[in-house]
Amino acid sequence: PPPRRWRRSSTPVFNYYRFAMTPSSRLLHICRRSASAAAAALWVLLFLSSQPRGAVASRDDDDRPNFIFILTEDMGFGDLACYGHPYAKTPNIDRLAAEGTSFVRFYVTGATCNPSRTGLMTSRHPASFPNYMDDFGLQNATTITDLLYAEGYSTGHMGKWHLGQENDPEQGTYSIEDIRIMSRSHNDPGGKDAVIFNSSIDFIEQHKDRPFYLNIWGHVAHSPVEPHPDLVREFCGVTVDRNDFGYWTQDKFADVDRLGGNVDDGMRHYLADLWGLDLQIGLLMDKLRELDLDKNTIVVFTSDHGAAPVMEDAQSLPTRMMGVMGGLRGAKHTFYEGGIRVPYIVRYPGHVPSGKVNHLSVISGFDLLPTIAT
């Protein structure tokens, strides 16, 4: 177990540029140094049976798995029905969990967008880079896509970027052949990530005959939360019972009240935003089944960090920022659990246990690259 002083102490809120390691990072370091059973089990669980064997010409003689990495934005640990939200409707994400394994002790590598995405793509601690990555890029660090591209994979990235060269990354950056940076869809009945998922399905259809890796990095549930009215109507009957939520979420409700907002209205709109995302994941999985790729595609679903707090001066429609942390303290921008502990689901039929909730393994965004590369 970790030293008592780490289990009992609270991590203060402090500037990203000044931190060396978060308490969760220290714990992960201990796990690695001690070759913990939890960490070893994760590696074996996911990809031991799928080691690369070099580039080949076609799908016919290449049974290596595809990888789809779905990354949401500002989603709280308790925002999904399968993670305990009392009102959320996320049947397609819940199905991913039912057909795969949900992890409840997964930690991202930063409390804001760029540090988190940096750790996920490189397995390097954000503080190890000499210059801030959002301004200077990943500075020759090896990425997941570098490794897979070298092994013959097609590589793609759809949606939000936030990995440096923000405005217009060149095709081929970080060995990603197809980069399509897209902002949110406006007033789309399919949700604000509909255009991103449409492009993702297009990429899959184009590359179905050879192994591929695809980032699908959306904008749900970042502000502004402005879902199409058709999506909101799905939740018109939701009335928030504040007793359904924990102590720390009560502070968020109080902030909404203070700003003159309506908690019920904010919750309905927030849940509708998630509903739009869930619809798109359903369409994506339908396409994989149609192409007979679903059994040989590893789908990873997570968030870049915890839910955003209500911030009057820094958000559009702040009273709709109703993401919840499932009883955890903190939120985006903090290194409390609510800021860095997020949902994490892995689906890989026949390899990852289905319907399992993993309470034991303490894992991090750092683990994604070495696990895939194993």
Side-chain angles (χ1 to χ4, degrees):
R4 183 180 299 274
R5 63 187 177 88
W6 287 348
R7 284 187 285 143
R8 295 273 180 96
S9 64
S10 296
T11 310
V13 179
F14 54 100
N15 191 293
Y16 156 74
Y17 300 96
R18 297 179 181 174
F19 80 85
M21 296 188 79
T22 66
S24 61
S25 300
R26 296 187 186 111
L27 179 55
L28 289 164
H29 181 66
I30 292 169
C31 290
R32 292 192 184 98
R33 288 289 298 272
S34 63
S36 71
L42 175 69
W43 285 52
V44 174
L45 172 68
L46 298 183
F47 311 124
L48 186 59
S49 62
S50 307
Q51 299 188 23
R53 297 190 298 274
V56 292
S58 70
R59 177 68 69 183
D60 292 340
D61 54 355
D62 190 350
D63 60 356
R64 291 179 297 169
N66 307 306
F67 298 93
I68 295 179
F69 180 29
I70 303 171
L71 185 65
T72 67
E73 190 168 14
D74 295 10
M75 178 177 288
F77 181 78
D79 275 348
L80 304 173
C82 57
Y83 275 77
H85 198 289
Y87 314 133
K89 295 182 180 180
T90 52
N92 293 297
I93 299 173
D94 297 348
R95 183 174 176 181
L96 287 181
E99 296 175 349
T101 295
S102 305
F103 295 83
V104 298
R105 302 178 72 188
F106 174 78
Y107 294 85
V108 291
T109 62
T112 54
C113 297
N114 176 264
S116 175
R117 294 159 197 263
T118 295
L120 288 164
M121 286 295 287
T122 67
S123 192
R124 278 184 54 177
H125 200 288
S128 71
F129 286 78
N131 299 295
Y132 185 46
M133 300 75 62
D134 198 27
D135 297 324
F136 293 90
L138 301 183
Q139 302 159 64
N140 297 318
T142 299
T143 64
I144 294 172
T145 43
D146 287 328
L147 296 174
L148 292 179
Y149 178 77
E151 290 297 315
Y153 273 73
S154 299
T155 52
H157 181 106
M158 308 294 152
K160 181 169 179 173
W161 183 247
H162 222 154
L163 290 171
Q165 302 178 340
E166 181 72 28
N167 294 328
D168 188 22
E170 296 179 0
Q171 298 298 318
T173 298
Y174 312 137
S175 299
I176 304 175
E177 300 170 285
D178 189 349
I179 300 174
R180 308 184 206 179
I181 308 304
M182 286 165 279
S183 60
R184 63 188 178 93
S185 303
H186 294 273
N187 201 34
D188 192 318
K192 68 184 176 190
D193 286 340
V195 65
I196 296 172
F197 278 84
N198 289 341
S199 295
S200 299
I201 288 173
D202 175 65
F203 176 90
I204 292 169
E205 289 175 330
Q206 290 182 30
H207 299 281
K208 64 182 184 298
D209 295 325
R210 59 183 291 192
F212 63 80
Y213 172 95
L214 175 61
N215 283 335
I216 306 176
W217 290 9
H219 298 283
V220 173
H222 195 282
S223 68
V225 174
E226 297 179 296
H228 190 277
D230 289 351
L231 298 172
V232 179
R233 274 192 285 272
E234 184 71 23
F235 300 92
C236 63
V238 169
T239 300
V240 175
D241 181 347
R242 301 191 184 196
N243 294 321
D244 288 337
F245 298 90
Y247 176 83
W248 299 108
T249 304
Q250 304 305 319
D251 288 346
K252 175 167 282 193
F253 294 155
D255 287 338
V256 173
D257 293 339
R258 176 177 55 82
L259 295 177
N262 183 294
V263 169
D264 293 340
D265 179 75
M267 184 67 73
R268 292 166 190 159
H269 281 81
Y270 189 84
L271 296 177
D273 218 26
L274 299 180
W275 172 246
L277 168 66
D278 189 82
L279 292 175
Q280 294 304 317
I281 290 176
L283 295 175
L284 176 79
M285 296 307 298
D286 287 346
K287 178 56 66 173
L288 291 178
R289 295 183 187 99
E290 175 189 322
L291 298 175
D292 197 27
L293 297 176
D294 65 303
K295 291 182 175 58
N296 199 39
T297 298
I298 299 167
V299 179
V300 176
F301 174 92
T302 190
S303 178
D304 60 352
H305 42 66
V310 175
M311 298 187 296
E312 180 179 4
D313 299 325
Q315 294 167 333
S316 300
L317 305 170
T319 60
R320 294 181 179 177
M321 301 309 298
M322 299 300 294
V324 298
M325 283 65 70
L328 304 178
R329 183 184 186 182
K332 177 182 179 180
H333 304 302
T334 78
F335 288 101
Y336 293 116
E337 293 267 308
I340 57 175
R341 185 173 166 188
V342 295
Y344 190 76
I345 301 170
V346 180
R347 178 190 183 275
Y348 187 20
H351 300 267
V352 172
S354 61
K356 180 178 177 60
V357 179
N358 185 307
H359 295 275
L360 174 64
S361 301
V362 181
I363 57 177
S364 164
F366 295 129
D367 296 319
L368 187 63
L369 182 150
T371 304
I372 289 176
T374 300

